[in-house]
C-alpha cells in the first residue's frame, strides 16, 4: 500500500501526470513548427509509361471503391458522420459501409470534431497503425483549423499539424451531403494518385 503525500494524492499519480504532460508539451512543440512546402517535387518530370499508367489507373480504380474508414468521431461532427452511414444518405454506395474498430483494417481516417492536445497522441498512434496506402479527411471547422477554439491552449489548430490531410470538409458541423462530396473528391484523388509522391506533414 502506498503512502500518500501531504496533498492526499499518491506519488505515482503525480509522476504519471508529469510524464503525460511532458509528452503533450513535446507533441505541441513539434506540431507548432512551420510546415515545409511539399511542392518541390512538382518541378521535376515524373516518368510515366503506358504500362505504368494503365496499371496505376487499374490500382486507383480498385482502391477508390474499397476504402474502409476507421471510427474516429470526436465531437458533434461525429453525429453527421454517423448519419452519413444511415439509410437516408447510404455511404455503402461507395463501398465504405464498414467503419472499422481496428486501425489495422482501415485505410481512411475521418477526423470529425474538436481534437484536443490530450487526444492528439492517440490520433497519431491510430494513424501510425493504419497500413499504407492511407488517407485522412478533416471533417468540420474544428478538425480543419481548430474552429472557434483555435486560440485556446487545449485545442490542436488543425489536424494537418499531426497527420497529412487529403480532403478538408468545411462546415460547423458539415451536413452528410458535404461529407459525401468530400469522399467523392477523395475518390478522384485516389484514382489519379501516385503513392510514391506522397509526403508526410
Amino acid at each position: 500500500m502506498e503512502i500518500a503525500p501531504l496533498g492526499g494524492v499518491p506519488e505515482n499519480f503525480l509522476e504519471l501526470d508529469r510524464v503525460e504532460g511532458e509528452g503533450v508539451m513535446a507533441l505541441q512543440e513539434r506540431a507548432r513548427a512551420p510546415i515545409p512546402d511539399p511542392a518541390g517535387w512538382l518541378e521535376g518530370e515524373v516518368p510515366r509509361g503506358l504500362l505504368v499508367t494503365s496499371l496505376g489507373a487499374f490500382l486507383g480504380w480498385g482502391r477508390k471503391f474499397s476504402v474502409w474508414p476507421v471510427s474516429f468521431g470526436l465531437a458533434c461532427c461525429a453525429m453527421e458522420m454517423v448519419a452519413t452511414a444511415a439509410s437516408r444518405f447510404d455511404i455503402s454506395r461507395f463501398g465504405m459501409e464498414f467503419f472499422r474498430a481496428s486501425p489495422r483494417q482501415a485505410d481512411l481516417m475521418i477526423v470529425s470534431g474538436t481534437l484536443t492536445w490530450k487526444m492528439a497522441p492517440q490520433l497519431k498512434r491510430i494513424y501510425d497503425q493504419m497500413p499504407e496506402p492511407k488517407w485522412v479527411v478533416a471533417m468540420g471547422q474544428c478538425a480543419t483549423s481548430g474552429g472557434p477554439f483555435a486560440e485556446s491552449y487545449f485545442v490542436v489548430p488543425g489536424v494537418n499539424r499531426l497527420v497529412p490531410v487529403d480532403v478538408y470538409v468545411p462546415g460547423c458541423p458539415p451536413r452528410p451531403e458535404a461529407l459525401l462530396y468530400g469522399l467523392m473528391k477523395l475518390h478522384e484523388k485516389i484514382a489519379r494518385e501516385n503513392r510514391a509522391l506522397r509526403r508526410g506533414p
Side-chain angles (χ1 to χ4, degrees):
M1 183 172 179
E2 296 179 355
I3 300 174
L6 295 177
V9 180
E11 292 182 3
N12 64 340
F13 288 160
L14 298 173
E15 180 64 20
L16 285 173
D17 194 37
R18 185 188 64 76
V19 170
E20 183 184 29
E22 289 176 356
V24 169
M25 294 299 288
L27 186 62
Q28 281 182 339
E29 289 301 318
R30 287 196 304 271
R32 288 183 177 147
I35 299 175
D37 184 11
W41 59 271
L42 290 173
E43 298 170 2
E45 179 69 26
V46 180
R48 291 184 180 155
L50 179 62
L51 179 63
V52 175
T53 303
S54 299
L55 181 61
F58 178 73
L59 290 176
W61 175 82
R63 282 179 179 150
K64 79 175 187 176
F65 289 115
S66 61
V67 177
W68 284 2
V70 66
S71 303
F72 205 84
L74 294 170
C76 47
C77 287
M79 296 298 106
E80 301 295 328
M81 180 179 68
V82 170
T84 308
S87 59
R88 181 174 181 188
F89 300 100
D90 195 17
I91 200 173
S92 62
R93 292 177 289 170
F94 304 104
M96 302 172 66
E97 66 270 20
F98 293 111
F99 277 83
R100 309 311 295 177
S102 169
R104 290 178 179 86
Q105 298 174 351
D107 47 12
L108 170 64
M109 176 184 281
I110 303 175
V111 183
S112 55
T114 309
L115 179 65
T116 61
W117 283 111
K118 190 158 187 168
M119 191 65 180
Q122 284 73 21
L123 177 133
K124 189 79 169 90
R125 183 180 303 124
I126 289 175
Y127 178 81
D128 291 340
Q129 289 176 354
M130 291 168 61
E132 288 286 348
K134 53 189 171 185
W135 299 274
V136 177
V137 172
M139 179 182 177
Q141 186 180 3
C142 292
T144 300
S145 63
F149 316 107
E151 299 299 324
S152 64
Y153 69 94
F154 61 93
V155 171
V156 178
V159 179
N160 62 329
R161 296 287 181 171
L162 302 173
V163 295
V165 176
D166 296 287
V167 175
Y168 294 92
V169 180
C172 187
R175 299 240 335 129
E177 295 95 333
L179 178 59
L180 289 176
Y181 181 76
L183 293 176
M184 287 190 286
K185 289 298 176 186
L186 178 67
H187 287 170
E188 292 175 11
K189 181 175 183 177
I190 292 171
R192 68 174 185 268
E193 187 174 47
N194 184 350
R195 301 305 297 174
L197 300 177
R198 185 167 177 82
R199 297 289 184 265

